[in-house]
Amino acid sequence: MIRPLFLAISVCILAAFAKTTSAQSVEDDRPLVVSTASIFADMAKVIGGNVIRVESIVPLGGDPHTFEPTPEAAKLVTTADLILRNGLTFEGWLNELIRYSGTTAPVTLITKGIEPLGSVTYEGSEDPHAWMNAANGLVYAKNIYRALSLTFPEYSDQFEFNYRLYRSDIEQLDAWIRDTVSIIPESQRVLITSHDAFQYFGAAYGLRLEAILGTSTDADAQTSDVARVIKLIVESKVPSVFIETTVNPKLIRQIADDTGARIGGSLFSDSLGDEDSPASTYLDMLRFNTRTIVTALSGTSSQLSADDGFEKEEGSIPLLVGTLLAVFALGFIIMFRYGQK
Ligand SMILES: [Zn+2]
């Protein structure tokens, strides 16, 4: 009796593993959704669930402003069933990539309905970083949900279910960011970064923003920009300045050295971090940035980490793997002990 039971359990477990492996690597025939940056890919993964495959053209840690299309990027665009773009001058290289790929996939502008901000630093230039305001994140989510439902209507019920849950998470996060930023004393609500990526964050949550570079990173800093930022730090007694994970930190470190301001931390602006980082999803990125900014500008780290109610959930996948290993081990023990008889 014991051996057939063990075999049945083993076959079930192996079938589950085989299914996962084949879906990931061997042949994946799910529809392919391609986004320009990892932040939007994460949104599409949450709403699309496991019935679609999502890839980002700019790899994790890459800078979409200065990205130069690769053969891999061309392949993604050619094989895409749906392409998601931010617009607002974010991914100027995409038009050419689409033109030469010959793709017929629909291209969705996921910032549709968002009122764009202009760059404070550079007149006449639109700020692409609209995702930094969680209320705008709701618009991104709605646009992605609609595009997925239109393109793959057979899965629209699943998309709607995922979208509703996601919307609720984003709304909750938006309220948390507002409350958390309010901890910073008003006179210290000045956020200084390398490039002008946080205007939407500042406008939504009440911070003044200054950056050395404009809304893109593809230009060199001018001496006048450095002088402007140094003057502000000295005059307003700004305690901390911030580097960004996708921008060379040399200049901001130099300014910190010259003024005595601290480096308040490293913020995620144009790319998520890898899965081991504290910013591996869009929601975690906003949470992490908020914690980092508020801690550095107000010095309330203990209060933040204890009370924010947004601690990362313990992963369910390690738990599942652990359980499966335990079942395997038990199975082998039983087989070894009883199989000899
Ligand atoms: Zn940027």
Side-chain angles (χ1 to χ4, degrees):
M1 281 301 286
I2 290 172
R3 193 171 275 181
L5 177 65
F6 169 69
L7 277 174
I9 293 171
S10 300
V11 166
C12 287
I13 293 167
L14 285 172
F17 269 114
K19 196 176 174 189
T20 312
T21 310
S22 70
Q24 282 172 351
S25 58
V26 181
E27 204 170 303
D28 194 336
D29 55 3
R30 294 173 297 170
L32 175 62
V33 176
V34 169
S35 75
T36 48
S38 54
I39 296 158
F40 322 134
D42 174 62
M43 294 173 171
K45 277 176 196 166
V46 174
I47 299 165
N50 58 10
V51 296
I52 58 164
R53 186 160 67 97
V54 184
E55 298 287 346
S56 168
I57 296 176
V58 179
L60 273 183
D63 180 356
H65 297 293
T66 55
F67 178 70
E68 289 183 10
T70 56
E72 290 78 25
K75 190 180 169 201
L76 279 179
V77 170
T78 305
T79 51
D81 296 297
L82 171 66
I83 298 169
L84 306 175
R85 75 179 306 169
N86 185 75
L88 307 176
T89 71
F90 188 51
E91 56 280 268
W93 38 265
L94 184 64
N95 283 345
E96 204 167 317
L97 202 51
I98 287 174
R99 195 160 48 242
Y100 288 115
S101 73
T103 180
T104 52
V107 182
T108 296
L109 180 69
I110 54 179
T111 50
K112 190 179 170 198
I114 289 174
E115 188 65 40
L117 293 177
S119 164
V120 171
T121 317
Y122 294 103
E123 262 181 55
S125 124
E126 273 181 344
D127 186 335
H129 309 89
W131 60 86
M132 289 296 188
N133 169 0
N136 286 346
L138 291 170
V139 182
Y140 278 85
K142 187 167 75 181
N143 287 331
I144 292 171
Y145 158 63
R146 283 182 177 166
L148 290 176
S149 297
L150 266 176
T151 315
F152 316 109
E154 64 273 35
Y155 303 121
S156 59
D157 288 349
Q158 291 172 58
F159 298 150
E160 185 180 354
F161 180 80
N162 296 340
Y163 165 63
R164 285 178 184 278
L165 287 179
Y166 195 39
R167 196 173 59 184
S168 155
D169 288 345
I170 299 174
E171 283 167 349
Q172 205 184 338
L173 179 62
D174 185 42
W176 175 79
I177 297 173
R178 204 171 302 284
D179 288 349
T180 306
V181 169
S182 71
I183 294 171
I184 308 170
E186 247 173 74
S187 63
Q188 285 167 233
R189 290 182 198 166
V190 183
L191 178 59
I192 295 177
T193 56
S194 295
H195 93 296
D196 198 5
F198 291 83
Q199 294 293 344
Y200 290 90
F201 186 88
Y205 306 114
L207 285 152
R208 176 179 170 189
L209 272 294
E210 287 291 341
I212 306 164
L213 296 167
T215 46
S216 179
T217 53
D218 61 358
D220 290 330
Q222 305 295 312
T223 314
S224 57
D225 294 320
V226 175
R228 168 177 52 78
V229 170
I230 288 179
K231 187 164 176 269
L232 174 69
I233 293 171
V234 174
E235 283 180 359
S236 303
K237 300 187 177 65
V238 177
S240 301
V241 294
F242 298 85
I243 54 183
E244 292 142 80
T245 58
T246 46
V247 185
N248 186 335
K250 193 176 161 195
L251 209 48
I252 208 89
R253 285 193 190 283
Q254 184 63 49
I255 287 177
D257 284 347
D258 291 349
T259 58
R262 288 188 301 270
I263 297 291
S266 191
L267 304 177
F268 292 83
S269 59
D270 297 45
S271 170
L272 299 178
D274 63 31
E275 59 185 26
D276 296 325
S277 87
S280 60
T281 67
Y282 169 62
L283 298 182
D284 280 343
M285 178 184 91
L286 290 185
R287 244 170 246 152
F288 175 81
N289 284 348
T290 304
R291 278 202 191 104
T292 305
I293 291 165
V294 174
T295 301
L297 295 182
S298 66
T300 53
S301 58
S302 55
Q303 191 178 341
L304 267 182
S305 54
D307 297 336
D308 62 23
F310 274 108
E311 294 307 309
K312 267 189 140 177
E313 284 175 27
E314 290 300 320
S316 56
I317 291 172
L319 186 67
L320 177 68
V321 172
T323 309
L324 290 177
L325 286 174
V327 170
F328 260 126
L330 185 65
F332 276 115
I333 290 166
I334 291 169
M335 188 175 72
F336 186 76
R337 288 194 59 172
Y338 295 91
Q340 308 299 322
K341 292 180 182 175

